[in-house]
Amino acid sequence: MASPKREFHHPYQPYDIQSELMCAVYDCIAEGKVGLFESPTGTVSASYFDVLSFLYFAVSETKHKLILTVMSLFLSLHGASSIPQGRNQHICVDAQDGTLENQVQSDHDDVDPSWVLEHAKKQKNIAIIEQKLEMEDRLKKIRIQELRQKQRYESGEPPSKRFKLDKKNDLRDDYTDARFVLDEYNSDDENRPQAERLPSSCKQEGLSATSINLMEKLGMFAELSTENGEIEPIEETKIFYCSRTHSQLTQFIHEIRKVKLRPTSWLGTAAQSSTKEQTDPSIVKHLPLASRKNLCIYQKVSKLGSAAAINERCLELQQQDIPQDHKCPFLPAKKNESLVNDFRDHTLAKIRDIEDLGTIGKRIGICPYYATRATIKPSEASCMIVTLPYPLLLHKNAREALEISVKGHIVIIDEAHNLMDAISNIHSIVVTQSQINRCRAQLLVYLQKFRNRLRGKNRVYVTQVVRLLDSVSACLENTITSSKPADGILDVDELLAGKGVDQINLYKLMRYLGESRLARKVDAYVTFTEEQEQKSIPKRSLSSIPLLTHVQAFFQTLTNPASEGRFFYEKNEGNEVTLKYMLLDPTHHFREIVENARAVILAGGTMSPMDDYVRRLFAYVNPERLKLWSCGHIIPKDNLVVWPVARGSSGMDFDFIYSKRDSPAIIDTLGQSLLKISKSIPDGVVVFFPSYSYLDQVVLRWQKGGSRTDSSIWDCLSSQKPIFQESKDAVAIDDVLGEYTKAINNGSGGLLLSVIGGKMSEGINFSDKLGRGVIVVGLPFPNIQNAQWKAKLEYIEKSTVDQGGSKDAGKAAGREFYENACMRAVNQSIGRAIRHQNDFATIILLDRRYKTERITSKLPGWIRQSVVRSKGDESFKDVIISLEAFFQSKSDC
């Protein structure tokens, strides 16, 4: 039986493929599944943005498919007449029948009479309706107020200057020895008073007990309990939308503002006679989350620039021993308790971005970073969509610090092609031998001054920190003097082989470092003494953070399960050793999100190959809960042609394996072939090389010239199209791209030499004339001799064997992972072309290995279907003829 046609209230007539995508997402959420969705940019965005091309501009990385995804999510929350049974039955309002029955959960047992259950449900319905009506009324008034006073709201002075800030005051005006002494500490006392047993996130944030008590009153901590008789807030299903950068989130927010939902009635049949019935269009309640660096409004802290420095200074200003006139004036306190609710209401009244939150915080006089916590909590003012960057969602400490719970909610992760790498990078850390030694020296300076004033556990734990530093330092020193290779793996036992380290309880030591604020005490005292010796005004470097804080984060990895990660060393110039902890298995750190969320959606334009996600990220997930979905492109099939090219213009094989690619002959053949290809392709051509070093090597060879021509290959290429080269410098990227675009618009065409995995391969759109041709040189396989890649492959092989596979199966799994990593990078690069329905381009893959089915099968489906599969052994001339015919057929487009 065919599934009934669903109405998604799409603003324009969607293509069939878009309707299929929305239905697939809808089913994934309704059934509580984990979905992997591959949909190329343009498949959804171009549907109505090309129809109204004069009204809208093409959207790049936001991918309107996710806007439509949110629409379908809205439908599951507001528009469906019936929601299929999912994993979590805590579903929001059904807007068609106007009832809240699905939202209310009875607290009574099944043995209660039905009339008791019905009465309880009715009372809760009425109470929730009243809460929501009051909230909607407040938000409506705010919207009207902002509409009338828009000019004043955006640029006016704060309405009430509640704080008198003395700009001359500085945190370091009143240094005393007492300020640097550690408070008494006893980690073994498990019977602390209730007031001292703080939430874990409070300990991480370093908040004082006074601030914590107040923030509890404001509903900023989830641990709060409700008294008997209170209406317990019902948490509506939220959508957590996560992407890599704030700029991508801003683009997404911009598109949400265009979404129009049909009016929603908050009143059920029990209250239809009320005169307060809501008839206004539904307003999407949205909350953007960000770090202190993006939300801090206290100029003395925000000017520090570095995110780590801002975090440390913020926490420092909240300590009890800081004078009141030196503390942050915007932190929630008794005198500004009502401002938190004002901030919440203003935030939810319209769809805001991060900059808006800063403006609201300044106008009201409250810290946006801490005030957003009250907005995200379950209440009648609960938000519907939460946008946040990767680190705030993927790191457990960050989720706890912001009191984020995804339990029963929907999680969408955009740009998910690099999700596993992102999780690994977030939980990896690098420390150098010089940092270890400097940290030890700072601790000894501190101990020399305060040794006699440290009592009990403080003295014990500080001594343990010194021993741990000595042990790690000795291990690195031994690495330098030994005959070990330039890079390799260090066992954790080697790092902890120092005298007395085996008697240290690392878990208790980590707890002590987190609660005692030792790093800040040591850093403050060392900074003070150094400045006193220089007889200068005490002033800490604006971008510095306590060195012990960084080393402490590295020590934390020593407590991780040995199976999850490895420690690597690398010898650098000057006998310096770098020590890195790298997470090998991202499964554990993402598992909590998957198991708690109602549904999880990973979306991207180039998710292929998807096998890695199933095997490495979701191995524990029941296969019935997994949903893999990939769609084609909305462009006609003849708008894209993909040529795997095995031989160059000279007849020489394109064999860019590491051992052969440095050959002058193959580099010259590449240049001669590129001359003919770029001549056959109009406008812009983007060429992707496997690495920056190889690109530099090729350019150097081309500029010197070959034996077959009077002019250099570089000069010949330049005479056809202006050449632009990607730089490692992120600042120069915009300049290069701007000059390239200018040349294309001037009709000169352009040849852009880029790198797979570089800035040009992600986040940049080469639509229309900017990318009529995309060429990939070779396959960017990682260096398999690298110690870190060796460890990754060994880990995968061992995991496969541990799960019952044979040794051969383990090696096959390692090879598959290795190839997938390479092809995922290739797919991301070639996905830069074809950005909308009427776009057309050619993709040329220069390497004989692209002719093999093993490699071709790892291309995205929408690209794979356009691969030219020759019956025989075609010549390079055949490729050129095909290219010329292709663009000749598009000459009128």
Side-chain angles (χ1 to χ4, degrees):
M1 180 178 178
S3 58
K5 183 177 180 180
R6 299 189 180 102
E7 176 56 59
F8 287 94
H9 301 280
H10 195 294
Y12 308 100
Q13 182 62 39
Y15 294 99
D16 291 340
I17 197 170
Q18 295 167 333
S19 297
E20 292 173 9
L21 171 63
M22 290 187 287
C23 288
V25 171
Y26 176 92
D27 292 338
C28 181
I29 294 167
E31 296 168 8
K33 291 190 174 183
V34 176
L36 280 72
F37 289 83
E38 181 179 63
S39 178
T41 300
T43 297
V44 176
S45 61
S47 62
Y48 53 87
F49 277 80
D50 280 355
V51 174
L52 297 180
S53 58
F54 291 99
L55 300 179
Y56 298 102
F57 293 100
V59 174
S60 56
E61 292 305 304
T62 313
K63 299 184 183 70
H64 281 272
K65 65 178 183 297
L66 290 174
I67 296 299
L68 301 182
T69 295
V70 171
M71 281 185 166
S72 64
L73 301 188
F74 291 159
L75 184 62
S76 70
L77 298 176
H78 289 282
S81 58
S82 63
I83 302 292
Q85 295 295 312
R87 293 178 64 250
N88 187 320
Q89 299 309 311
H90 197 168
I91 304 173
C92 287
V93 178
D94 184 328
Q96 285 190 345
D97 61 15
T99 65
L100 291 161
E101 292 185 3
N102 284 333
Q103 190 185 34
V104 177
Q105 296 177 329
S106 176
D107 297 326
H108 299 273
D109 295 329
D110 293 338
V111 296
D112 289 341
S114 59
W115 67 269
V116 173
L117 297 176
E118 187 63 30
H119 178 73
K121 184 182 295 186
K122 183 177 180 180
Q123 292 300 313
K124 282 196 172 185
N125 264 330
I126 294 174
I128 292 171
I129 289 170
E130 291 176 352
Q131 286 181 340
K132 291 189 177 295
L133 283 175
E134 291 173 3
M135 179 62 193
E136 292 299 321
D137 188 54
R138 291 202 305 272
L139 298 185
K140 182 178 179 180
K141 289 179 180 178
I142 289 175
R143 287 192 290 270
I144 294 174
Q145 177 187 1
E146 290 185 1
L147 184 62
R148 293 175 177 174
Q149 302 177 351
K150 183 177 181 180
Q151 183 82 24
R152 180 181 176 186
Y153 175 76
E154 293 179 348
S155 60
E157 289 292 321
S160 175
K161 297 182 179 179
R162 298 175 174 86
F163 311 106
K164 294 183 178 180
L165 306 181
D166 185 0
K167 295 183 179 180
K168 296 181 180 181
N169 284 346
D170 192 270
L171 192 58
R172 277 148 287 278
D173 288 344
D174 53 357
Y175 279 101
T176 63
D177 283 352
R179 181 170 179 267
F180 306 122
V181 180
L182 292 167
D183 298 331
E184 291 295 326
Y185 181 83
N186 186 355
S187 65
D188 297 322
D189 182 9
E190 301 297 337
N191 297 314
R192 302 184 190 181
Q194 178 68 26
E196 296 181 19
R197 296 203 300 269
L198 307 178
S200 58
S201 57
C202 304
K203 297 171 185 176
Q204 295 162 5
E205 293 287 345
L207 300 176
S208 66
T210 303
S211 295
I212 291 163
N213 290 334
L214 172 65
M215 295 173 82
E216 284 183 345
K217 287 179 63 179
L218 297 177
M220 293 186 176
F221 297 127
E223 289 93 333
L224 294 179
S225 61
T226 54
E227 298 179 0
N228 293 333
E230 263 187 34
I231 300 173
E232 187 173 341
I234 291 182
E235 186 165 11
E236 298 180 356
T237 305
K238 292 184 178 67
I239 302 164
F240 287 90
Y241 174 87
C242 180
S243 194
R244 288 186 304 141
T245 65
H246 284 292
S247 61
Q248 291 173 341
L249 293 173
T250 298
Q251 294 175 13
F252 178 73
I253 293 168
H254 175 70
E255 299 308 319
I256 294 179
R257 289 174 176 151
K258 299 176 182 178
V259 175
K260 303 297 182 183
L261 298 179
R262 57 180 173 178
T264 299
S265 172
W266 292 111
L267 298 179
T269 55
Q272 287 181 354
S273 60
S274 171
T275 58
K276 299 175 72 175
E277 175 146 4
Q278 197 80 9
T279 57
D280 293 336
S282 296
I283 301 298
V284 178
K285 296 184 180 65
H286 163 257
L287 175 68
L289 293 181
S291 63
R292 289 183 178 88
K293 177 176 170 44
N294 297 97
L295 292 178
C296 179
I297 60 174
Y298 189 28
Q299 188 176 4
K300 287 185 178 181
V301 177
S302 61
K303 70 179 181 181
L304 300 181
S306 163
I310 290 174
N311 288 341
E312 288 298 323
R313 187 64 61 85
C314 176
L315 297 178
E316 182 181 350
L317 294 180
Q318 297 176 44
Q319 303 310 313
Q320 292 180 337
D321 53 2
I322 301 296
Q324 186 62 38
D325 58 344
H326 288 104
K327 291 188 175 183
C328 174
F330 302 108
L331 191 71
K334 188 65 178 177
K335 60 185 177 183
N336 61 13
E337 181 176 343
S338 62
L339 300 184
V340 175
N341 289 335
D342 290 344
F343 177 89
R344 177 200 65 195
D345 291 350
H346 279 81
T347 299
L348 297 181
K350 290 184 177 181
I351 296 176
R352 314 285 189 181
D353 57 25
I354 296 169
E355 288 73 19
D356 293 333
L357 297 195
T359 302
I360 294 172
K362 290 177 182 178
R363 184 175 73 87
I364 294 177
I366 196 68
C367 172
Y369 177 78
Y370 285 106
T372 52
R373 298 184 179 193
T375 310
I376 201 174
K377 294 303 154 197
S379 68
E380 77 279 5
S382 182
C383 54
M384 184 184 297
I385 301 177
V386 179
T387 54
L388 68 170
Y390 274 7
L392 298 188
L393 177 71
L394 300 179
H395 203 294
K396 184 175 181 178
N397 288 346
R399 294 199 303 273
E400 289 180 347
L402 290 171
E403 298 294 330
I404 295 175
S405 172
V406 299
K407 188 172 181 62
H409 300 306
I410 299 161
V411 176
I412 302 175
I413 299 180
D414 190 16
E415 296 296 328
H417 64 275
N418 60 0
L419 177 61
M420 288 185 288
D421 289 339
I423 297 173
S424 179
N425 293 336
I426 287 172
H427 294 88
S428 300
I429 188 169
V430 176
V431 66
T432 65
Q433 185 181 15
S434 60
Q435 288 176 325
I436 295 289
N437 293 337
R438 287 204 313 272
C439 186
R440 182 182 184 278
Q442 290 180 358
L443 263 178
L444 292 178
V445 169
Y446 182 83
L447 277 174
Q448 185 178 3
K449 175 68 176 180
F450 298 104
R451 183 184 300 275
N452 294 332
R453 300 174 68 174
L454 295 179
R455 297 288 185 270
K457 292 295 183 180
N458 278 325
R459 176 176 292 186
V460 172
Y461 283 122
V462 173
T463 303
Q464 288 182 358
V465 175
V466 175
R467 286 183 180 177
L468 192 54
L469 289 168
D470 286 341
S471 180
V472 175
S473 179
C475 177
L476 297 181
E477 187 66 33
N478 180 63
T479 302
I480 294 176
T481 58
S482 67
S483 58
K484 289 184 176 182
D487 65 337
I489 298 177
L490 284 175
D491 191 81
V492 67
D493 292 337
E494 297 179 75
L495 295 170
L496 302 179
K499 183 180 179 180
V501 176
D502 59 336
Q503 300 175 14
I504 296 176
N505 185 324
L506 288 176
Y507 297 95
K508 283 191 174 183
L509 182 59
M510 291 303 102
R511 174 181 167 186
Y512 168 79
L513 290 174
E515 295 184 2
S516 67
R517 308 194 306 275
L518 174 64
R520 298 188 194 103
K521 297 284 186 179
V522 171
D523 180 72
Y525 176 71
V526 171
T527 303
F528 174 68
T529 55
E530 290 175 351
E531 291 167 342
Q532 288 296 311
E533 291 173 0
Q534 297 173 4
K535 296 182 179 180
S536 61
I537 300 175
K539 187 175 182 181
R540 185 194 297 176
S541 172
L542 292 182
S543 60
S544 65
I545 63 169
L547 183 57
L548 182 55
T549 298
H550 180 72
V551 176
Q552 174 184 333
F554 175 78
F555 284 167
Q556 185 68 52
T557 63
L558 296 172
T559 65
N560 291 352
S563 60
E564 285 188 6
R566 297 286 187 275
F567 292 92
F568 300 90
Y569 72 86
E570 182 178 349
K571 297 179 182 180
N572 305 318
E573 296 180 1
N575 288 333
E576 173 80 341
V577 180
T578 298
L579 186 59
K580 177 180 181 179
Y581 173 80
M582 186 176 74
L583 183 71
L584 297 177
D585 185 3
T587 303
H588 171 74
H589 295 276
F590 196 61
R591 183 168 185 167
E592 180 179 318
I593 294 175
V594 174
E595 291 184 341
N596 285 334
R598 171 182 174 81
V600 176
I601 293 175
L602 308 188
T606 52
M607 294 290 289
S608 296
M610 292 189 182
D611 292 348
D612 283 347
Y613 299 96
V614 177
R615 297 174 184 173
R616 311 297 163 210
L617 204 57
F618 303 123
Y620 57 90
V621 177
N622 187 326
E624 294 183 356
R625 196 190 169 201
L626 287 174
K627 184 180 184 68
L628 278 62
W629 196 90
S630 179
C631 71
H633 212 293
I634 59 172
I635 62 169
K637 187 177 180 180
D638 59 2
N639 274 23
L640 174 66
V641 59
V642 182
W643 267 102
V645 181
R647 291 193 180 99
S649 57
S650 66
M652 184 178 186
D653 283 347
F654 276 140
D655 195 0
F656 290 99
I657 61 175
Y658 189 78
S659 60
K660 295 182 179 180
R661 69 183 189 181
D662 295 340
S663 164
I666 197 171
I667 294 178
D668 289 346
T669 298
L670 172 63
Q672 296 293 342
S673 301
L674 194 57
L675 267 171
K676 296 183 178 180
I677 293 174
S678 63
K679 185 177 180 180
S680 303
I681 301 176
D683 304 314
V685 178
V686 185
V687 185
F688 287 102
F689 288 79
S691 68
Y692 285 104
S693 61
Y694 189 62
L695 171 58
D696 292 339
Q697 181 181 350
V698 169
V699 169
L700 184 63
R701 172 68 185 176
W702 287 350
Q703 289 176 340
K704 287 183 177 179
S707 58
R708 299 183 180 180
T709 59
D710 296 328
S711 300
S712 68
I713 293 176
W714 184 266
D715 291 338
C716 293
L717 286 170
S718 300
S719 65
Q720 285 187 176
K721 297 178 187 288
I723 302 177
F724 305 88
Q725 184 175 345
E726 179 179 352
S727 169
K728 288 184 180 180
D729 184 5
V731 178
I733 293 296
D734 291 338
D735 295 335
V736 173
L737 189 59
E739 291 298 319
Y740 173 71
T741 304
K742 184 178 179 181
I744 300 298
N745 293 335
N746 289 340
S748 303
L751 186 64
L752 179 60
L753 308 182
S754 307
V755 174
I756 297 173
K759 296 293 183 181
M760 295 291 187
S761 67
E762 291 197 34
I764 306 296
N765 296 331
F766 296 107
S767 61
D768 299 317
K769 293 183 178 182
L770 293 180
R772 290 302 183 206
V774 175
I775 302 173
V776 179
V777 178
L779 285 158
F781 281 107
N783 182 6
I784 200 170
Q785 300 303 321
N786 176 274
Q788 296 180 25
W789 262 100
K790 280 184 178 179
K792 283 183 179 180
L793 298 180
E794 288 174 1
Y795 175 81
I796 290 173
E797 291 176 14
K798 183 178 182 301
S799 299
T800 303
V801 173
D802 291 345
Q803 294 171 10
S806 64
K807 287 186 178 181
D808 289 341
K811 290 186 179 298
R815 180 185 178 185
E816 185 77 7
F817 180 82
Y818 185 60
E819 290 179 351
N820 288 350
C822 168
M823 288 306 298
R824 194 171 290 113
V826 171
N827 293 341
Q828 186 64 16
S829 298
I830 60 181
R832 300 299 91 203
I834 307 291
R835 312 305 286 182
H836 61 82
Q837 179 195 11
N838 296 322
D839 206 354
F840 60 91
T842 182
I843 297 174
I844 302 176
L845 308 172
L846 301 181
D847 197 297
R848 63 177 181 79
R849 290 170 290 182
Y850 284 115
K851 285 282 191 177
T852 64
E853 182 63 25
R854 184 179 182 89
I855 295 298
T856 307
S857 64
K858 298 180 187 297
L859 293 170
W862 65 277
I863 292 178
R864 191 167 59 248
Q865 68 181 6
S866 297
V867 172
V868 177
R869 303 180 186 274
S870 57
K871 297 180 180 179
D873 192 13
E874 81 288 337
S875 65
F876 184 82
K877 184 178 180 180
D878 294 330
V879 176
I880 298 301
I881 294 174
S882 174
L883 288 177
E884 292 174 347
F886 173 77
F887 285 106
Q888 181 64 35
S889 68
K890 303 296 181 184
S891 58
D892 296 333
C893 295

